């Protein structure tokens, strides 16, 4: 009886239940890419936070500009990449820093370099995706932007990238001050219709622990953090930040453990698709204008095109006649018994005569 049941189970088993494992193995072998942009004034702890998030030192060679250099400094873009491997999973992390943001006297232009960089990466991806060889496309699109909120923020980036607002140096505020500041930031975001990253809703079949974690993450926005490289021990566990005073651990879990793929999906499905639609619309308008210019150019422009077409048709006709002559010669070869050398010499002479026309 047992053997019969096992046989029935084996017979009913097709095998597609292993598809998730196949996708997992393929993805792990290929590796993952993630690009994180950090934006905010100098001295807010952006570099320290990045080093703490990924347990590395990406900025050990950085030179700190003096006061005179900062007065004239404009926002620039610095890219740093590193390969991280954890339990056999490889991550190619790219951090895009924006030194000089807010340092100059004219801070209202600080956002322009950031927007241009995001658009350039979208444009490069669109060009690669539209090419013939699409197998080895490198995804350098910005998947997330940690925005250290300055008092003069204008929200220019919110339609191009996933904005995650961060309150820096939370250790300078009391718990009640942090709460009031979060409420003020959320109020300003709502008042100015700034689109920040929205956490996806949990599926109904998720376990209660995951739902609780999701509720806690949503309640933390904007994340109040303190960047630190010092490891402390809380309740027998070694952590970088005390969760009672900082949202660092929740921010790190969100970026790395729970929502990295969703950040990439939203970049692909929303921000990049909006950019792609704009590009296609611009190309379509350009083609329409080009066609209108051709129609409005009069007989002179049309005559040039006609002459070119006439020459091409003439050459096509000559090639067709040559193919017919070769076919006739092959028939003659079969009927008269001429050698291959004779037919080759004759066909070569005819080919040269056509080319010289």
């Amino acid at each position: 009886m047992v053997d019969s049941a096992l046989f029935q189970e084996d017979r009913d088993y097709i095998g597609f239940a292993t598809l998730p494992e196949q996708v997992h193995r393929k993805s792990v072998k290929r590796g993952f890419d993630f690009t994180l942009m950090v934006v905010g004034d100098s001295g807010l702890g952006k570099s320290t936070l990045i080093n703490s998030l990924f347990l590395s030192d990406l900025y050990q060679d950085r030179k700190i500009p003096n006061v005179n250099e900062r007065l004239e400094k404009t926002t620039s873009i610095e890219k740093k990449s590193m390969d991280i491997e954890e339990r056999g999973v490889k991550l190619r992390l790219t951090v895009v820093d924006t030194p000089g943001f807010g340092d100059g006297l004219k801070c209202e232009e600080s956002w322009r370099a950031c927007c241009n960089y995001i658009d350039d990466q979208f444009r490069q991806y669109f060009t690669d995706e539209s090419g013939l060889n699409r197998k080895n496309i490198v995804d350098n699109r910005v998947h997330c932007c940690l925005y250290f909120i300055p008092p003069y923020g204008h929200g220019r980036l919110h339609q191009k990238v996933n904005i995650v607002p961060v309150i820096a140096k939370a250790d300078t505020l009391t718990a009640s001050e942090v709460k009031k500041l979060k409420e003020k930031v959320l109020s300003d975001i709502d008042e100015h219709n700034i689109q920040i990253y929205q956490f996806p809703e949990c599926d109904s079949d998720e376990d209660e622990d995951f739902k609780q974690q999701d509720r806690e993450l949503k309640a933390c926005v904007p994340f109040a953090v303190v960047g630190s490289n010092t490891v402390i021990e809380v309740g027998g566990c070694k952590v970088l930040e005390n969760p009672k005073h900082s949202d660092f651990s929740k921010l790190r879990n969100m970026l790395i453990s729970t929502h990295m793929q969703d950040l990439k999906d939203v970049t692909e499905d929303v921000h990049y698709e909006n950019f792609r639609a704009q590009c296609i619309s611009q190309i379509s308008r350009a083609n329409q204008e080009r066609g209108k210019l051709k129609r409005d150019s009069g007989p002179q422009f049309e005559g040039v095109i006609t002459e070119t077409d006439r020459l091409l048709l003439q050459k096509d006709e000559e090639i067709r006649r040559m193919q017919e002559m070769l076919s006739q010669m092959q028939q003659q070869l079969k009927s008269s018994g001429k050698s291959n050398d004779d037919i080759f010499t004759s066909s070569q002479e005819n080919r040269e005569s056509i080319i010289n026309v």
Side-chain angles (χ1 to χ4, degrees):
M1 190 69 178
V2 175
D3 293 339
S4 176
L6 290 174
F7 175 76
Q8 180 67 25
E9 183 180 350
D10 290 341
R11 191 181 67 176
D12 293 341
Y13 181 72
I14 300 175
F16 61 83
T18 63
L19 275 173
E21 286 139 25
Q22 296 175 38
V23 173
H24 174 74
R25 286 196 301 269
K26 187 174 181 180
S27 299
V28 168
K29 184 177 180 180
R30 184 172 57 244
F32 299 88
D33 297 301
F34 189 73
T35 299
L36 177 67
M37 174 180 276
V38 288
V39 175
D41 295 356
S42 299
L44 291 180
K46 304 188 300 297
S47 304
T48 304
L49 178 65
I50 295 300
N51 290 337
S52 302
L53 284 173
F54 298 99
L55 302 178
S56 61
D57 189 0
L58 285 173
Y59 303 96
Q60 55 184 346
D61 299 328
R62 168 171 289 180
K63 178 185 176 183
I64 305 299
N66 57 38
V67 175
N68 293 329
E69 291 174 337
R70 287 189 178 185
L71 289 176
E72 301 296 330
K73 188 175 180 59
T74 57
T75 305
S76 58
I77 299 295
E78 285 186 4
K79 268 192 358 175
K80 293 183 180 294
S81 299
M82 62 182 299
D83 293 317
I84 305 174
E85 184 171 352
E86 183 178 83
R87 296 179 184 177
V89 179
K90 297 179 181 178
L91 173 67
R92 178 68 173 177
L93 172 69
T94 300
V95 177
V96 181
D97 200 357
T98 56
F101 188 93
D103 287 352
L105 296 177
K106 296 182 178 180
C107 298
E108 65 273 9
E109 295 295 322
S110 295
W111 55 268
R112 191 178 302 278
C114 306
C115 291
N116 290 341
Y117 178 82
I118 294 173
D119 284 342
D120 288 344
Q121 305 317 304
F122 279 154
R123 191 173 296 108
Q124 183 61 51
Y125 191 88
F126 178 75
T127 301
D128 295 342
E129 188 185 44
S130 304
L132 295 176
N133 184 10
R134 308 197 307 169
K135 291 184 178 180
N136 299 316
I137 298 178
V138 178
D139 185 6
N140 288 320
R141 296 171 296 183
V142 179
H143 302 115
C144 179
C145 175
L146 295 183
Y147 196 93
F148 289 71
I149 304 169
Y152 48 81
H154 295 287
R156 304 281 185 169
L157 295 169
H158 67 122
Q159 294 180 339
K160 299 177 180 290
V161 67
N162 296 313
I163 296 290
V164 176
V166 173
I167 297 175
K169 296 187 176 298
D171 56 336
T172 63
L173 304 173
T174 64
S176 60
E177 288 174 334
V178 169
K179 182 180 178 180
K180 290 180 181 179
L181 182 55
K182 285 189 175 187
E183 293 173 352
K184 179 66 168 61
V185 169
L186 290 175
S187 175
D188 289 344
I189 287 174
D190 183 63
E191 179 182 352
H192 297 286
N193 197 26
I194 298 174
Q195 301 171 18
I196 62 175
Y197 173 68
Q198 298 295 323
F199 291 90
E201 295 298 326
C202 288
D203 295 331
S204 58
D205 58 349
E206 293 287 358
D207 59 72
E208 189 57 37
D209 289 340
F210 186 85
K211 292 180 180 178
Q212 178 62 27
Q213 184 184 40
D214 183 70
R215 287 192 290 267
E216 291 177 357
L217 283 176
K218 292 176 180 177
C220 283
V221 179
F223 294 91
V225 300
V226 181
S228 173
N229 292 326
T230 303
V231 178
I232 62 175
E233 189 169 330
V234 178
C237 298
K238 292 183 178 180
V239 296
L240 284 168
E241 290 294 341
N242 189 334
K244 294 182 179 179
H245 302 152
S246 173
D247 297 327
F248 172 82
S249 59
K250 292 185 175 63
L251 175 62
R252 184 179 186 183
N253 288 336
M254 186 276 288
L255 285 176
I256 302 172
S257 301
T258 60
H259 288 77
M260 178 179 285
Q261 186 58 50
D262 188 68
L263 288 164
K264 297 181 67 172
D265 291 342
V266 174
T267 299
E268 172 74 29
D269 299 336
V270 179
H271 300 297
Y272 174 67
E273 281 302 312
N274 289 339
F275 179 86
R276 184 173 177 271
Q278 293 174 4
C279 287
I280 293 175
S281 177
Q282 292 173 0
I283 293 172
S284 177
R285 286 199 301 268
N287 289 336
Q288 292 175 0
E289 293 175 359
R290 190 179 297 111
K292 183 176 182 299
L293 177 62
K294 178 180 176 181
R295 291 191 300 269
D296 295 344
S297 297
Q300 182 178 0
F301 180 77
E302 188 173 333
V304 174
I305 299 299
T306 302
E307 178 64 19
T308 302
D309 293 340
R310 187 186 66 78
L311 292 174
L312 291 174
L313 290 172
Q314 180 181 346
K315 290 297 181 183
D316 289 340
E317 179 64 21
E318 290 168 353
I319 293 173
R320 187 186 63 80
R321 287 203 309 269
M322 182 185 72
Q323 292 174 341
E324 290 180 354
M325 291 174 61
L326 291 175
S327 179
Q328 292 174 2
M329 290 177 185
Q330 289 175 353
Q331 293 297 328
Q332 292 175 4
L333 173 63
K334 292 179 180 179
S335 60
S336 61
K338 284 184 178 181
S339 66
N340 287 338
D341 291 340
D342 294 336
I343 192 70
F344 175 77
T345 302
S346 176
S347 63
Q348 184 72 12
E349 291 173 352
N350 284 283
R351 189 183 295 110
E352 291 175 355
S353 65
I354 291 174
I355 293 174
N356 293 328
V357 172

